[in-house]
Every structure is written in structure tokens, then in C-alpha cells.
Amino acid sequence: MKKRLVMLLAGLLTVLSMGFGLAQFSDVPAGHWAKEAVEALAAKGIIVGFPDGTYRGNETLTRYQAALIIYRLLQQIQEELKAKGESPTMQAMSSEDIEALKNAVQELAAELAALGVRVSALEDSAATKEDIARLEAMIQELKAQPAPEPGMDAAALQDLADRVEAASIAADTALAQAQQLAEQLDALAQDVEGVKGDLASLQTQVEANAQAIQALNELAVLLNQDVLALQDRVTALEKGLADLQGVDLEQFASKEDVAAVQEFAAALRSDLVGLSEKVSKLESQVAELSRVQYSITGSLTATYGMKTLAGNNFDIDRLFSTPFSTGVFGATQVASPVILPDVASANLSRGSAALTFTVKNTAPKAQGVDFTEASVSLGVDAFTSAFSGVPTIYFNAASVKGTVDGQAFSVAYSRSASRFKFNDYLFVNDNDPAGRETRQGMVAEADLTKLPLSPKVTVVAGVSDVADNGGTGGNLQGNYFGIRVATKPFPGLDLALSYAANDGGAPQPNPVRSALGLDGSLKLGDFSVKGLFVTSKNTSIGGYFQDYFDPAIADWAYYVQLSGKLGPVSLAANYRAIDPDYANGVAGMSASHLPYYAPKPGSSGTGVDGFQSPAPYPANQRGVGGSLELPLGPVKLEGYGDSYVNYNGAPPFSTNLGAAATVGLPMAFSLKVAYDASYTGASYFDLATQTSSTVTGTLSHDGAAGNALVKNLNLTLQGTYDTLGNFFGLATYGTYKLGLGPLSLDTILFRYADLDTSVAGDETLKGGLQASVDLGSLPFKPKLLGEVAARQTGGAGGTEELKWGVGISLGEFLFPGSSLEARYAGYQAAKVDSITTGSADLAFNPADDRLYANREDLLNNKSFNGSVAGFNVTWRYHDLRVDYGEYVLSGWDNINNQAVSGNARTFRISYTVKF
């Protein structure tokens, strides 16, 4: 009887956990194999389905639902016994049977909770139609039991029902755990297969590598957590099995049942071990992949072009920018960086390809040598104007970054634009104008922070173009080498030693040079000192090391700069001495495609063509200077003094002194009053002879300030009184911009300047306008462009310049992706130095009198008259570009009494594919 009751409860739970479809429910098909059993249970009210009229037989039955069904079964038995007038004490069941039933229910619940029964195991033992019939027969047999014996009342039966319900709840908890375990195992298996697919995808889709690695990392963490949770559950399962040792399992389960459970636990442990190994392998693969990221970019370009020129070379930059408009136009023209230089032929036919490959390592090793990033840019001349049986493949650039025992290093190679700087007067090769770099070489740096003094080592080596790409000579040419070691002896102190050498090119247009350099800085509180010493000498004829320190043999450049604060006062002072051989970068082996170092004292501080000079002091100068600044609320006081002589110290000495006060005014105005004076004498700050003395007042308005009186209006009013010459100079200039719907006045420029109001004929009038009309809402999305700028110095018969241009661009020309731009421009001038050579574009600079020619042209009696005019049409279709232009020069050189003329035509088509 005891074993039958156990089988009854276990069978009922198993059948119900599988779920059924009832014929009377809407979601159950007719003819189901469990139809009879279900109808019998439903008819007795033991199962009732869901409120929406469905049974949901494919859903898992919870143990709570099973407890409710068993409870209804017992209640049904009690009701039927009462209906017969019998006491619900079940006469046929002895007290031993009732006690055995209680124990069976309790032991069944304990077994299910401890062993964590798998849902899949329950599914493997799914009830058949015969099982349902047998269960129904057992229920009928139970109801047919004789009347109970005395002493067995309804309370005992109710207690049994309560125990059944409690056991069902415990069984439900255990089954839920087993079900969750099975679901996790299935999910983990699917996740592992998915991760394998992700790894294969990572190998073929390198551009998405970083995102995939992140996802794999997150998945690995989740898998590891799940494995740990599963291991804990298996441990608990084994402990439960150990607790059952010595217990007579025959009381509530067969040996086959126990063996099956033990076999399942062993299989589960094996699965977990295998899964753990797979996860460990996966984590290793993820960690390895996460260290390295790849990216590949490239381009393929084909270009064909031609240019024809008749007559004089001339400059078309004064009109507008084109692919041909770098510098002087003509056979010796340096082409734009897109097209390789071709000085021997007007044919610009080119085909080229470029590929860039980059590898990044996000987790470098702390020990040994390891890289963090490496990139290579490859190029090939697919075809040029001359036949080549084997196309030339070359490195455009390459770089490697990494660590040595955690210390950063880098090595970079450039085919034509290697850039580096040691100090202000040695190897200053990092400030070339764009497109004029001519150095092919390598720059290597290592930041050795773990060594004494934390040195940073820089090594450079390469070769610079002897032809200088159109430069003036005197710069770094031929083979070069340099090494610099920067150290930090203690906090606040930086020192660096440098060595540089250059063979001067072959054939050697310049001497073979070598140089030593020392530079550094020291900061102490609010004060700091900075200085350098560079000694450079001609080594083509040999010599000794001590020659570097003989100023009669070597060329020296040195300075000391002091700065600091005493309360609100800011102070600065300097002493400098720069040998004349440092002009144009000769002694310092520095770039000078344009005159590179600072111009003469008192000038604007810019070199030719408006490029800023990077050196703090000009060549052939020895001097001392200082300045101070004191803010007093809205007032700022300034003063300076500077005295210098040529490098050899031969008089006269020149001295400049000055003081200024600046007052901040409401509505973004400011007023500055300054006094400047110059003297010459026989020694430093000798004021024996005054050469100039001026007082200048400047009222300015900043249109970009938030409190500006007129937004976008920049205005300057300046008056100068020469106290020595007793005359005034005036200047007023500014710019304004305004938007009026589709009309945009981008620049409205005005300038008036009179250097000496007492002299007639030296005034300058300058004005300009740049405007555009955006009609993007119309077909073809047109935009109209226009500009005009003019200046006149000296009135009628003086120097004149006029520049004007018009253009139209169509954002959509004929079909999507196609655009067209057409421009026509002209430039004409009278009494200027030249209109054929290149010059800085100052047309819309309000602080300068010029458009291109110098203000002094009239004073220097320049008499070149002429004009340049032309048009250019550009059509683009994505990365396809076509340019066509025609230009004409016409003028007269009065000094040489000859006409100058020329005409040119340009055509270029280029297509680039990027990937």
C-alpha cells in the first residue's frame, strides 16, 4: 500500500507537470491521447483550466498548481464519503498506511528539493495513456476504500492534505531549480555556439572588431558567473546525495530511481567540467583578440593633366586657388601635393595608389618590448609621363609606437615631410608651409622614465632635398643626423643636450655642418628661467672638439630669458646673442623655404609672404631687454626697454623704450595710449641720439565680445603723433559682417591711413566686400559668390591695386551627386614691384595697406603696370574632379621699358577611390 501511494503521488505530479489539452478547452485539439483522463479530473472539479477558457496544456505546471490539484482530490474524497453518510476516516487504510503516506509525501518533497530534479528527466518519463488510466484507477480505488476505523477522523485526513500541499510547494521549488538549471545549460550551449560564430565573424570583419570584442568580454563574464552558479548547485546536489547514504530508499523510491538520479548528477558534473573548459578557452581567445585591433584604409587615385604656357611665367594665385596655383605659374611650377612635381614636362599624367594599414594593441605587456600601435602607408606610381616596366612602390609613411618595460617609445618614417625640432636655433624643421616639406627620414623617441633623470631621447636621420623645392638655400640640405637627450634632474628643472650634423648636399652647395646644443628651464615658485646655447661649425675641413667653444671658429647662438611675478606685477627680461650665420637657418641647419628667422628689429615680426617667424630673436644681434605689466582694475600698465647691437658688438647701439596704458571701457571698447622712443649710442641704453618718438592712441571695439555695442563689428581708430618730427599719422579700419536672409555679407572691409597728415599724397584708401547668395531652395541649389577689393596709395598717379571675382556653384548639377563651380576673376595694378611673382594675399586684411604689393612701392618708384585675368571651371561627381582654366597676363615694365605678356591653359581630371 505504501509503495502504491508513492507511485500514485509521483505519477500524478509527473503527468500534471507535462501539461494536458482538454477537449472542452478552446486550445486543445480533439482526440488527444489524455482526453479521457483529463475529462475525468475536470468533471470532478480537480482541474478547472484558466479564466480565458484555455487549458494551456503545453505550459509547465508549477508545484503550486499541483498542490492545489491534490488538495482538490482529497477534498473530493471527503465530500463523496460524507455524501454516503460515512465518516471520512477511510476504514480500509490502517494507521500504518496513513503514517506511511505522510512519510512518503514528506520524503518525496525532501528528495525533490535535495536532488534538484531536472525538467528534462521528468520529460523523459512523460506519462502515457496507460499511466493516466492507471492513475484514474488508483483514484477510484482510493475513493472506494471501506469506512474508516475508529480513531481516524477528518482532522487526520486534513493534516494529510496539508502535508501534501506543503510537499508540493517544496517539490515545486526543487523542480523550478532543476528547470532553471536545464534552461541555463541549454542557453549556455547556445551562447557558446554563438560565441564561436562571433569569433569567426571577427576574423573576417576587422572593422567591427572592437565592438565584437566588447560583447565577447561581457558574454564571457556572464558565462563565468553561470558556471560558478551551476557548480554551487551541483555541489549542493552531491551533498544531498551524501546525506541520503545509509537511508533505506526502498521506502519511497526504487534503486533504479536513485541510480538514475546519481547518473544524472554525474552527467551534470561532466557537462559542467566540459563547459568550464570551453569557457576558459573562450576567455583566453577573447583576451587575445582584445589586445589587438586592426583597421585598414586606402585610396586609389588616377590623374591626368596638362598645362600650356606661352610668354612670361606669371602668378595666378592672385585670382583664385586651383590645383595649379602654388607659387609662380610656369614650367618650374611646384605642383600641388596631389600631383607629384614634374618640372620637365607639361604633361601631368599620373596614376597612383595608397594603402594605410593600422594595428593597435590595447594591452601592452609591462615587461619587455611590446607595441601599442603600428601603421604603414604604402604608395605606388601606377603610371607616370615616362614608361616604367616595373611601377615604383614606396612607403609614404610608417610608424610604430610601443613600450619598453612600460616606457613609451615611437618611431616614425616620412617619405617627404619628416618634422622635428631640437630647440629655437637648432634643427627647427617642423614649421614648413604646407606642401613645401622636403625631408625624407625617421624620427625616433623614447621616454625612459625608469632610468635615472628620466631621460627622453630623440633621434632623427634622413636626407633633405638639395633643390629645396624652390627655396632660397641655406637650410638643411643633404644627409642629416641628430640626437637629443632631455632630462629632469629634479622637479622644476629640465635640461637637454643635442647633437646635429648635416653634409650640405651633393654637390655640396653648403658647408658640412655639425652643432652642439644645450637648453633648459627652471621654475622656482612664481619665477622661471629659460635658456639655450647652440654652437655650430663648418666641419668640412676637420677640426677639434674644442673648436665648438671657440667663437672665432664656431657660430654661437644663446639667450637667457627670465620671467616672474612680484605680487600683481609681471616681469620679464632677456639677454641674447645670435651669430649672423644663423640667418636663413644655415648655422642651425633649419628649414628656410622662406626666410625663416625674425626680420629686422621694429618690424612686424613676420617673414616674407606673411609667415610668422618662429625664432625669438633675429640673426646678427646681441642685446638685452625687459618688460613689466601691472593690472590695476580696468587699467593695465605696461613698460619695456630693449637695447641691441650687431653680434660683434660694434657701435652704434640701438635702444627702444616704451610705456602704455590700456583701459577697458563699456560695450566692448578699449582705449590704449602708448609712448615709444628709439635712440642710438655707443653702449647699451645709451640715449645720446634720439631717432624717433611717438605717442599713439588706439580706440578699439571687439565685435565678438558678448557686450559688444554692435555685434560683428571690429573697429580700430588710431592716431599717432611724432613728437620728433612734429606731425600726425591717422588710421581707421575695421570689418563687419551681416546676414540678410539668403544674402550673406561675409566681409565688409574699410581702411583709411595717412602716415603723415602734413604731407599730401601718401594716404591710403582700401575697401573690400565678400558676399554670397545661397539659393539652395531653387533647382540645382545655386549659390552666387562675389568679391571685390581695392586700394590706392598716393592719390591719382600713385600705387593702385584692384582685385575682383564672381562665381556660381550648383550643388546639384544635372543629377544627384554632381556639382559645378565656375569662377572668373581679375587683378590689375599700377606702380607696383611686380604682378608676375607670388606674394602674400592681404586683400582682406584691414590692418595692412596692401592687397599684394608693398606700400613702399610708390616711394621706391616702382613702375610695373599690368593685369592678370582668367576663369576656372570645376566639376565634381563624388570623388571625380575635373578642372579647366584659361588665364592671361598683360603689362608693361617701365624700368626695363618692355612689355610682359603670357597666356596659359590648364586641364586636370582626377578620380580617387577610398576604402
Side-chain angles (χ1 to χ4, degrees):
M1 179 66 181
K2 174 172 59 179
K3 191 168 184 178
R4 290 176 59 195
L5 289 173
V6 172
M7 292 177 62
L8 167 65
L9 293 174
L12 178 62
L13 293 176
T14 301
V15 171
L16 295 177
S17 68
M18 289 297 297
F20 298 104
L22 278 171
Q24 63 265 39
F25 295 108
S26 61
D27 60 339
V28 177
H32 194 277
W33 59 269
K35 179 175 183 298
E36 295 179 3
V38 173
E39 286 182 346
L41 293 174
K44 297 179 182 300
I46 296 175
I47 54 177
V48 296
F50 290 88
D52 61 354
T54 60
Y55 181 66
R56 303 179 189 177
N58 293 326
E59 294 184 1
T60 302
L61 185 69
T62 67
R63 283 298 184 253
Y64 294 106
Q65 294 169 331
L68 180 61
I69 293 172
I70 295 174
Y71 179 79
R72 289 173 182 165
L73 172 63
L74 295 175
Q75 290 293 104
Q76 180 69 26
I77 294 173
Q78 291 180 358
E79 293 297 329
E80 291 183 5
L81 290 175
K82 288 180 180 179
K84 294 179 180 181
E86 299 175 349
S87 174
T89 54
M90 294 186 294
Q91 175 66 32
M93 294 180 64
S94 65
S95 59
E96 291 80 9
D97 291 338
I98 296 296
E99 189 64 24
L101 181 59
K102 293 179 181 180
N103 293 337
V105 170
Q106 182 175 357
E107 290 166 357
L108 176 62
E111 178 188 7
L112 292 174
L115 297 180
V117 179
R118 291 182 58 193
V119 173
S120 60
L122 294 176
E123 293 174 346
D124 292 341
S125 60
T128 64
K129 184 176 181 179
E130 292 74 12
D131 294 330
I132 298 300
R134 185 168 57 255
L135 176 61
E136 188 176 19
M138 288 180 179
I139 293 173
Q140 295 296 332
E141 181 182 354
L142 182 62
K143 292 192 297 182
Q145 293 294 328
E149 63 182 8
M152 297 297 295
D153 54 16
L157 187 60
Q158 182 64 43
D159 179 68
L160 175 61
D162 294 341
R163 289 176 179 271
V164 169
E165 180 178 4
S168 298
I169 294 174
D172 177 62
T173 302
L175 185 60
Q177 292 175 347
Q179 178 183 351
Q180 182 180 10
L181 179 63
E183 292 174 350
Q184 290 175 345
L185 284 173
D186 294 338
L188 288 175
Q190 296 175 1
D191 289 342
V192 169
E193 293 301 321
V195 169
K196 290 180 179 179
D198 291 340
L199 291 175
S201 176
L202 285 174
Q203 295 173 353
T204 58
Q205 300 179 3
V206 295
E207 292 185 355
N209 189 61
Q211 297 178 354
I213 287 171
Q214 181 179 359
L216 289 174
N217 277 321
E218 295 174 354
L219 177 59
V221 172
L222 295 175
L223 289 176
N224 189 54
Q225 293 174 351
D226 289 342
V227 168
L228 292 176
L230 291 175
Q231 290 175 340
D232 292 341
R233 292 184 180 181
V234 170
T235 301
L237 181 63
E238 291 176 339
K239 182 177 182 301
L241 289 174
D243 293 340
L244 293 176
Q245 298 299 322
V247 178
D248 186 7
L249 299 179
E250 288 290 339
Q251 301 179 55
F252 53 88
S254 66
K255 292 182 179 180
E256 290 77 8
D257 295 334
V258 175
V261 172
Q262 291 175 335
E263 181 181 354
F264 162 69
L268 180 61
R269 168 61 71 181
S270 177
D271 291 343
L272 288 175
V273 171
L275 182 59
S276 178
E277 293 175 351
K278 292 180 180 179
V279 170
S280 299
K281 183 178 180 180
L282 176 62
E283 289 177 334
S284 176
Q285 292 173 333
V286 169
E288 183 64 24
L289 284 174
S290 64
R291 294 182 67 247
V292 181
Q293 300 178 19
Y294 305 90
S295 63
I296 301 176
T297 61
S299 64
L300 177 64
T301 300
T303 300
Y304 174 80
M306 53 81 65
K307 55 185 175 67
T308 59
L309 174 68
N312 295 87
N313 294 343
F314 60 99
D315 177 30
I316 63 173
D317 280 343
R318 303 189 184 200
L319 302 178
F320 35 65
S321 176
T322 76
F324 301 89
S325 63
T326 302
V328 179
F329 186 89
T332 59
Q333 159 99 14
V334 177
S336 73
V338 178
I339 308 173
L340 298 178
D342 185 6
V343 300
S345 172
N347 181 10
L348 300 178
S349 182
R350 290 282 187 263
S352 62
L355 174 68
T356 300
F357 178 75
T358 302
V359 181
K360 293 183 179 180
N361 178 6
T362 60
K365 295 182 294 187
Q367 301 294 326
V369 179
D370 203 1
F371 76 90
T372 58
E373 180 178 340
S375 65
V376 175
S377 177
L378 302 175
V380 56
D381 292 334
F383 61 90
T384 64
S385 57
F387 176 79
S388 174
V390 180
T392 302
I393 300 177
Y394 48 82
F395 284 111
N396 278 324
S399 66
V400 175
K401 296 180 181 180
T403 60
V404 179
D405 293 339
Q407 303 166 110
F409 76 88
S410 66
V411 180
Y413 164 80
S414 176
R415 180 170 175 260
S416 62
S418 186
R419 293 174 177 264
F420 48 88
K421 176 181 178 179
F422 281 9
N423 61 45
D424 288 337
Y425 289 91
L426 183 62
F427 264 14
V428 187
N429 295 293
D430 66 340
N431 198 35
D432 297 324
R436 298 189 182 182
E437 307 95 336
T438 62
R439 287 171 303 280
Q440 182 180 107
M442 304 184 70
V443 178
E445 294 182 329
D447 201 353
L448 306 177
T449 56
K450 295 183 179 181
L451 298 184
L453 304 181
S454 300
K456 181 176 182 179
V457 180
T458 302
V459 179
V460 302
V463 60
S464 186
D465 186 12
V466 175
D468 191 25
N469 218 3
T472 59
N475 62 310
L476 184 69
Q477 296 185 7
N479 294 296
Y480 62 84
F481 170 81
I483 182 170
R484 173 180 171 85
V485 180
T487 63
K488 295 180 179 293
F490 54 82
L493 176 62
D494 295 282
L495 290 176
L497 289 170
S498 302
Y499 171 77
N502 176 215
D503 69 3
Q508 296 173 354
N510 297 305
V512 176
R513 283 264 177 188
S514 62
L516 301 175
L518 171 66
D519 60 89
S521 63
L522 173 65
K523 183 175 179 58
L524 296 172
D526 291 334
F527 286 86
S528 64
V529 58
K530 175 184 177 181
L532 67 76
F533 171 75
V534 176
T535 173
S536 174
K537 70 186 185 73
N538 183 342
T539 57
S540 59
I541 57 175
Y544 301 95
F545 180 78
Q546 58 266 30
D547 292 344
Y548 285 112
F549 305 99
D550 185 346
I553 299 176
D555 303 312
W556 288 4
Y558 55 93
Y559 68 74
V560 177
Q561 297 174 337
L562 297 151
S563 62
K565 298 189 69 174
L566 288 175
V569 180
S570 298
L571 302 171
N574 72 82
Y575 177 80
R576 73 273 186 181
I578 313 298
D579 189 279
D581 279 348
Y582 283 87
N584 287 338
V586 174
M589 295 171 279
S590 302
S592 65
H593 299 291
L594 302 168
Y596 198 64
Y597 287 90
K600 63 183 180 181
S603 63
S604 62
T606 59
V608 173
D609 284 356
F611 288 100
Q612 183 68 38
S613 300
Y617 311 107
N620 194 26
Q621 186 184 100
R622 187 184 299 269
V624 61
S627 65
L628 61 85
E629 181 179 305
L630 174 62
L632 297 173
V635 180
K636 181 174 70 174
L637 302 178
E638 299 172 277
Y640 73 91
D642 191 78
S643 188
Y644 56 90
V645 69
N646 62 34
Y647 181 75
N648 294 324
F653 287 76
S654 298
T655 299
N656 298 318
L657 300 174
T662 304
V663 182
L665 301 175
M667 296 179 290
F669 282 94
S670 64
L671 176 64
K672 180 177 182 179
V673 179
Y675 172 75
D676 298 278
S678 299
Y679 304 85
T680 59
S683 62
Y684 287 119
F685 293 102
D686 183 355
L687 310 182
T689 303
Q690 188 174 32
T691 58
S692 69
S693 176
T694 59
V695 177
T696 303
T698 304
L699 178 66
S700 301
H701 176 263
D702 183 2
N707 61 335
L709 176 63
V710 180
K711 290 292 184 182
N712 301 321
L713 173 63
N714 297 303
L715 177 65
T716 299
L717 304 174
Q718 188 175 82
T720 302
Y721 175 61
D722 190 320
T723 61
L724 193 64
N726 195 27
F727 63 86
F728 285 93
L730 297 175
T732 177
Y733 54 89
T735 60
Y736 182 60
K737 62 181 180 180
L738 179 65
L740 298 172
L743 173 62
S744 177
L745 304 178
D746 301 307
T747 304
I748 303 174
L749 177 145
F750 54 92
R751 176 178 175 81
Y752 171 79
D754 188 352
L755 295 181
D756 185 353
T757 57
S758 63
V759 176
D762 68 340
E763 303 89 351
T764 293
L765 286 173
K766 179 179 178 180
L769 174 65
Q770 290 178 311
S772 62
V773 181
D774 192 345
L775 303 175
S777 59
L778 298 180
F780 302 118
K781 297 182 178 180
K783 184 175 183 179
L784 305 178
L785 308 171
E787 67 176 18
V788 60
R791 73 106 165 185
Q792 184 175 50
T793 300
T799 298
E800 297 178 354
E801 289 184 282
L802 171 65
K803 174 182 179 178
W804 61 274
V806 294
I808 182 172
S809 65
L810 303 178
E812 288 187 359
F813 180 65
L814 301 182
F815 48 87
S818 170
S819 64
L820 181 72
E821 182 179 272
R823 295 169 294 175
Y824 184 85
Y827 170 79
Q828 62 186 54
K831 291 192 175 181
V832 297
D833 54 350
S834 175
I835 63 170
T836 62
T837 58
S839 184
D841 185 356
L842 300 169
F844 289 92
N845 183 348
D848 200 291
D849 287 344
R850 300 172 290 171
L851 299 188
Y852 293 97
N854 295 328
R855 178 189 173 96
E856 293 79 12
D857 292 338
L858 174 64
L859 303 179
N860 294 334
N861 196 29
K862 299 293 184 181
S863 57
F864 193 105
N865 302 331
S867 65
V868 178
F871 73 89
N872 184 83
V873 178
T874 300
W875 175 68
R876 292 182 176 90
Y877 180 65
H878 296 291
D879 292 320
L880 173 65
R881 173 171 174 166
V882 180
D883 287 272
Y884 177 80
E886 293 198 16
Y887 316 91
V888 61
L889 164 70
S890 176
W892 185 265
D893 183 352
N894 289 321
I895 295 179
N896 297 310
N897 196 28
Q898 62 182 17
V900 292
S901 63
N903 57 78
R905 178 176 298 147
T906 61
F907 172 76
R908 178 179 179 269
I909 180 171
S910 179
Y911 184 66
T912 300
V913 179
K914 299 178 181 178
F915 55 90

